[in-house]
């Protein structure tokens, strides 16, 4: 018996199959045969659809807000690092250790 290669289904396909189960026009076995997917996988997609359906209407925000970036502190850090690099490049140049310039 040969093994089938692992398949990755698109979210659109999963939604299509899950919605077909909710319609109730065909049995789970018929849908599994129609879409060439295992019945357990269809059941999993259906439960995921039902759990996430409230998020479609904005009932709950599942995405976390990105942390606010303090631009002022980042510019200050860039300035410090630039000053340090310039100082070290000058010191190495005077010592004769910096032979190759950028």
């Amino acid at each position: 018996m040969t093994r089938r290669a692992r398949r990755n289904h698109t979210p659109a396909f999963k939604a299509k199959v899950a919605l077909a189960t909710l319609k109730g026009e065909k049995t789970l076995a018929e849908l599994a045969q129609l879409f060439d997917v295992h019945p357990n996988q269809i059941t999993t997609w259906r439960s995921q659809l039902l759990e996430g359906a409230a998020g479609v209407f904005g009932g709950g925000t599942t995405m976390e807000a990105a942390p606010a970036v303090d631009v002022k502190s980042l510019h200050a850090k860039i300035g410090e690092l630039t000053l340090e690099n310039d100082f070290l490049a000058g010191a190495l140049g005077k010592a004769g250790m910096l032979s190759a310039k950028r």
Side-chain angles (χ1 to χ4, degrees), residues 13-29:
F13 177 77
K14 293 175 185 179
K16 178 181 170 183
V17 174
L19 287 173
T21 61
L22 292 177
K23 287 181 185 177
E25 296 173 355
K26 295 186 178 185
T27 65
L28 192 61

Side-chain angles (χ1 to χ4, degrees), residues 60-83:
T61 56
T62 58
M63 298 184 72
E64 296 179 15
V69 177
D70 187 16
V71 178
K72 209 171 207 180
S73 67
L74 290 176
H75 283 295
K77 186 65 174 175
I78 290 171
E80 289 176 24
L81 292 174
T82 303
L83 185 65

Side-chain angles (χ1 to χ4, degrees), residues 22-40:
L22 292 177
K23 287 181 185 177
E25 296 173 355
K26 295 186 178 185
T27 65
L28 192 61
E30 290 173 337
L31 290 172
Q33 187 176 15
L34 177 68
F35 292 112
D36 193 28
V37 179
H38 196 274
N40 291 345

